[in-house]
Each structure stands twice: as C-alpha cells, then as structure tokens.
Amino acid sequence: MVPMKRAWMILAAAVSPALAGPLLQNALNRHSISLNGEWHAIVDSRDGGLSRRYYRNADPFTEPGVVEYDFATAPVLRVPGDWNSQWPELLLYEGTVWYQRTFSYHLETGHHAFFHVGAANYRAQVWMNGEALCEHEGGFTPFDCDATSLLKDGENVVVVSVNNARHADDIPARDFDWWNYGGLTRDVSLMDVRAAYIENYSLQLERGSATRISGWIKINGAGPQVVTVRIPDLQVTQTAMTDSSGMARLAFDSAGLERWSPERPRLYAVEIASGGDRVTDEIGFRTIEARGTEILLNGRPVFLRGISLHEEAPNRSGRAHGDDDARILFGWAKELGCNFVRLAHYPHDEHAIRLADRLGLLLWSEIPLWQAIDFGNAAVVEKARQQLNEMIERDRNRAAVIFWSLTNESRATPERNAAVHQLAATARSLDSTRLITAATNQISRPDPHTMLLDDPIIADLDVFGVNEYIGWYQGLPADLDTMTWRNPFNKPMVVSEFGGDAKQGFHGEADQRWTEEYQENIYNHQIAAIRKLPFARGLSPWILKDFRSPVRQLSGIQDGYNRKGLVSDTGERKKAFFVLQKYYQELAAGTEAASGR
Ligand code: GCU
C-alpha cells in the first residue's frame, strides 16, 4: 500500500503542477486584487479528491461520470484562517481540505498575474480554471505562482488543496508542541505586474555607517533596464542599470538619515520604479552587529527585553493573522516593557513583521527546525534551505528583524551540526546584514551547579539562544542562585526560553507547582540569575500567552493548553507578568536597581 502522502504526490505529478516561484518581495503593497473572504470547502479525509479530479470544478447535475462533489453548494471557510477553529469537527483534523472560489479578472496586455498565498499549512496545490498551476510545501512562508497563461478575461475558478498531515521528513517533523492549524492561514491575492517587473530588492544601512545605504534591485523579464530609487524624505533619487542577470546595484549616502530604533522607529517611504513597474515600501534603516559578547544596534550596546510568542490568536482560538491579532499581542509585549519579541517557532504573518517595524519591536524570526528533525536526509535539509530562503526573501527589508534563527532544541548530532553549518552559510549569503542565531538546550552540565554552554553549533552563530528550564523541568528555582554559566565561545547569549506552567487563578504557596505563585517564583530566580551574567544580552521567556498543544493533557490545569503563558488563553494576566514587567521597567529606566544591567 503506497502511503497516502506518496499517493498524493504521485497523482499530483500526473497533473504536473510546477513548483511555486519566484517569490515577489512586498506582496502586500503590490497592485493586486484580494482573494480573501469565503471559499467553498470540501473535507477530503481519504485523499480521494485528486483521483476524482475535484480540481475540474465539474457540475454534478450536467456532467457524466464520477462527479460526486459540488463546490457551488459546499459550505464555506473564511480565508485567511485555519480550518480547525472554524469548524468544530475539524479541531483535531489532519488531512486534506479542498478550497474553491471564483473571481473575475481582466489581464492587461503584456502584464503578468501572480497568484499569491501568504501561507498554507502544510502542503498546497493550486489549479487555475482546471489546469495545474503550482504546488508548495511549508506551512509558514509565502509562495507566488505566475498564473498569466491560465487566466481568462472575465470569470475564473481557482481550486487549492491543502494538506496538514505530519511526516517525519517534513519541517516541522511529526512531533511539535503547538497546534497543527491547517488551511489557507494567511492572505491570498492576485498580483498584477508589468512584463518586466521588480521581483525583489534589498536596501540596508551599511555596518559601521550612519548614512551609507547600499543594496540591489532584481528585475525579472527584460533586457537592460534603468531602475530608479527615490526616498523623498531624504531628498534621494538614485538610478542604476541592471546587469545581464537583471540585477541593479547601488550605494549612496543619505545625509540627515534618522536611524531606526525601538525608541524611534523611523520608517522612510521608498519608491522603486523600472520599465513601468513600480513598488512603494516603508523601510527603516539601522545596523545590527555582534562584537565580543555585545550586541550593537546602530553601533551601541543593546539589551533585549523580550518575550517569546506563538502565532496564536488572542482572545479566540486559532492561528493569528493580520494586523488586528498582531496589534493585541504586540500591545501586551509593549505593556510588559519589551523592546524585543521572539517569534516562535516559525515565520509569522508579514502583517505582524510590518507592525513591529512601526511599533519599534526587535524581532527574532526562525524556521521550524524544531527538536527531532531528520537532518541526515538531504531532502529535509533542502526543505530547510527553501524555508530559510523564503523567510529571508520576504522580510529582508524589515528593520525590526535582527535575528535569523536556524533551529530550536535540535539534538547535537553530527548530521544536525553539519546542516546548521550549511544553513548558517546560506543565511549569510542571502543576507549579510543580520545576525544568525539558534535556540539550543544542548548544553553540558559537568555538575549540578554549572551550565557549560558548549553546543558545537555556537561556533557558526553570531549570537546564541539558550532554552533552560531550571526550576520547572530541572531542579528547583533556587538552584539558579548558585549556578555558574560558562561561555567557552565567548559570544553574546540570549536566554531564549525559561518559564513554567501556571493555571491562571490557581493560587498557593511559592513551592506549589502549577500555581501562579510558583511561576512567579521561577521568574524571580531566573531574573536574579540573568542580572549577574555579563554575556547575557537579552531574554525572551517562554511565553507571552497560553497556547493550544495536543501534548498538554493535565486535566483541570492544562486541558490541551501549554500554560507557560504570562497571559491566560482568555487574556488574564498572571502574577509573573508583573515580575517581568517590573524588571523591564527598571532596565528601560536604566536605574541602579537593574544593577547587573
Ligand atoms: C521547549 C520548546 C517549546 C516548548 C517548551 C515547553 O523549550 O522550545 O516549543 O513549548 O519547551 O516545554 O513548554
């Protein structure tokens, strides 16, 4: 019996979908029509839809043969949005759902039309007017497919199958501590671009400079082109010619530039034009570097007052998406006094990244190489490279993003170390302006009072994150008071996770597990320990908000939620929230009370 996934892929090949690509930068600001809204949906738990050719969108009342489906009368799912939180019977569903909608379109002569999906978890295949268009694997990064040749002038039908089944050779693999929300979870649109179009671009402040901006613009589909970049507020107008590969490079000084920072998140309107195509963006210019055990933002040491965050909607169940969800979640982070958020464990919605640009929140962005990944499988490492590439290509112009993170708590096997070494080189080749990091728990404990931060991949990182749960998974909170932390690589460290579960409203003694007081006790000892560490340059405790997880089944306490949040799943703050807030307020005020920092 051929496993279902393989059958799906074999049959899929029969309808010859192409891989998605290229990825167009700044989809949200392109000339486009939104395809968000209600899509008809058919649950296909046996994966029969492919062989029954659902993608033909046939009419069962007029067409002969096996046409035992009808999108026109099928129920609807809202896009963007996971299916788990829209249909109660799909809360735990892992399989295929077919989406269909119609739309009218007029394609101007010489233009291209790209079908854009902000994210589809986990595998997607797209048919346009019954013809195979493209497919994509990866649940948290966008993809674009050139639909020009398949579009009709007038009424069109698009069908997308999305499958969120888990497999050992996927990324993430079969086991992960968050809800497997499936579906078209982010925006869907049709982007209109000229025959010669602006595919991607990078404009960054050069390290060591306060005014020199350099970068490139990639034009697709034409011979030599003049590219113009305008930054009106800086009185900058620059032109450059593309080379034979369509790449135009430029570097210029920008007197009077106000560098982006959390305190003053200055964004500049940027206009890029070439051959009739035109893209506008808002870009913040700053530098981020590591020097010794310091992290330097715009050349000055910065301490990261952070919190970790899953992309789970506040005040409702489901995958968060769009500005509104991000505004509430980042509002809670700002209320804590954060200047930093670790976006766990996968790239978040582009709306959130752009909001962080506007709010002045520094971001850690990561690909979901979470714990048990099949690093010995070259195809898996290639998937990791693809997702890393898509994350960087999408967010390379977002000032808020300072870290690309490569893995979370993966075991320190030779295959994993080699893969991370490769991925670090890939990340730096794609983007030399940001810092490369990873969150590790692969540290040695030569004795109960020592943490030796010796994971071999730290050699490949600019900054390393340590996930440690002293006081929850290991020992007691007071063990931190006598802990020695050794940093043989002499690099900046972020304590990327610590914490403990607490059921909001469950109170008791400070040594009573699962109470708010116990979680508060952990935070008090963890913060006291971090204050004493000269190479700790930040922290992002686990986690802002309780989140759904199928492995958290302690009834009456967890009930399917990981309860390490400082805010409950219904928005109530726990006592530890105020412990962290007090620490961050002291740091922000720079008072002596912050002592070690
Ligand atoms: C790990 C992991 C998280 C997980 C957390 C926990 O460190 O990185 O994804 O949710 O611990 O156990 O709560």
Side-chain angles (χ1 to χ4, degrees), residues 81-375:
D82 62 274
W83 60 58
N84 314 69
S85 59
Q86 291 190 59
W87 293 1
E89 68 274 27
L90 298 185
L91 180 61
L92 277 163
Y93 180 65
E94 295 184 313
T96 300
V97 171
W98 291 77
Y99 290 77
Q100 179 264 14
R101 68 160 288 167
T102 60
F103 62 93
S104 62
Y105 197 70
H106 169 66
L107 183 68
E108 293 190 45
T109 308
H111 285 214
H112 284 256
F114 279 88
F115 182 74
H116 170 78
V117 177
N121 188 41
Y122 172 79
R123 278 181 178 75
Q125 276 198 285
V126 183
W127 288 265
M128 190 65 74
N129 298 316
E131 299 293 328
L133 173 57
C134 62
E135 65 179 18
H136 180 266
E137 179 178 343
F140 304 97
T141 46
F143 59 97
D144 297 320
C145 313
D146 190 342
T148 310
S149 62
L150 301 181
L151 283 170
K152 295 175 183 169
D153 201 36
E155 187 82 346
N156 293 271
V157 180
V158 59
V159 172
V160 184
S161 75
V162 182
N163 177 287
N164 72 332
R166 292 165 291 110
H167 305 93
D169 60 347
D170 288 348
I171 295 177
R174 281 190 51 78
D175 178 32
F176 44 85
D177 186 22
W178 65 86
W179 207 261
N180 184 23
Y181 292 115
L184 291 172
T185 51
R186 294 179 190 158
D187 295 324
V188 180
S189 65
L190 200 68
M191 296 185 286
D192 175 282
V193 296
R194 296 301 180 90
Y197 60 91
I198 300 158
E199 178 186 311
N200 205 334
Y201 51 89
S202 172
L203 288 170
Q204 302 287 316
L205 188 59
E206 288 185 359
R207 280 180 172 165
S209 172
T211 58
R212 188 151 184 79
I213 293 172
S214 61
W216 47 265
I217 294 91
K218 173 80 167 55
I219 305 298
N220 200 325
Q225 293 276 325
V226 175
V227 180
T228 303
V229 173
R230 294 185 62 246
I231 310 177
D233 285 2
L234 292 173
Q235 294 81 47
V236 163
T237 300
Q238 289 282 321
T239 59
M241 281 300 288
T242 58
D243 62 21
S244 58
S245 68
M247 189 69 85
R249 299 182 189 284
L250 68 172
F252 53 89
D253 278 303
S254 52
L257 172 74
E258 187 183 344
R259 287 179 288 182
W260 185 96
S261 72
E263 296 71 30
R264 290 187 58 79
R266 178 70 159 91
L267 298 176
Y268 286 89
V270 176
E271 298 163 17
I272 302 171
S274 176
D277 201 25
R278 182 171 174 276
V279 175
T280 60
D281 206 342
E282 285 199 304
I283 299 178
F285 297 99
R286 55 103 189 95
T287 60
I288 191 76
E289 300 165 77
R291 194 178 300 156
T293 59
E294 291 284 6
I295 299 173
L296 305 179
L297 175 67
N298 296 325
R300 299 183 57 223
V302 64
F303 187 80
L304 303 175
R305 310 188 304 269
I307 192 71
S308 289
L309 172 62
H310 259 302
E311 193 175 49
E312 189 160 88
N315 307 329
R316 76 169 199 280
S317 166
R319 178 68 66 223
H321 57 78
D323 268 326
D324 295 346
D325 286 343
R327 196 171 297 285
I328 295 171
L329 294 169
F330 286 165
W332 292 343
K334 282 278 191 181
E335 183 188 333
L336 263 176
C338 294
N339 63 355
F340 172 62
V341 175
R342 178 183 176 210
L343 301 181
H345 282 295
Y346 35 74
H348 288 209
D349 190 322
E350 186 175 354
H351 288 282
I353 316 299
R354 288 179 173 272
L355 179 61
D357 262 5
R358 297 193 296 275
L359 293 178
L361 282 171
L362 297 160
L363 297 178
W364 162 311
S365 189
E366 64 185 69
I367 51 176
L369 287 169
W370 191 90
Q371 291 189 6
I373 297 289
D374 183 7
F375 284 106

Side-chain angles (χ1 to χ4, degrees), residues 480-499:
L480 284 154
D481 303 349
T482 56
M483 190 68 70
T484 300
W485 305 53
R486 288 173 39 207
N487 176 8
F489 289 94
N490 194 38
K491 292 190 176 178
M493 175 185 78
V494 171
V495 182
S496 38
E497 288 184 34
F498 71 71

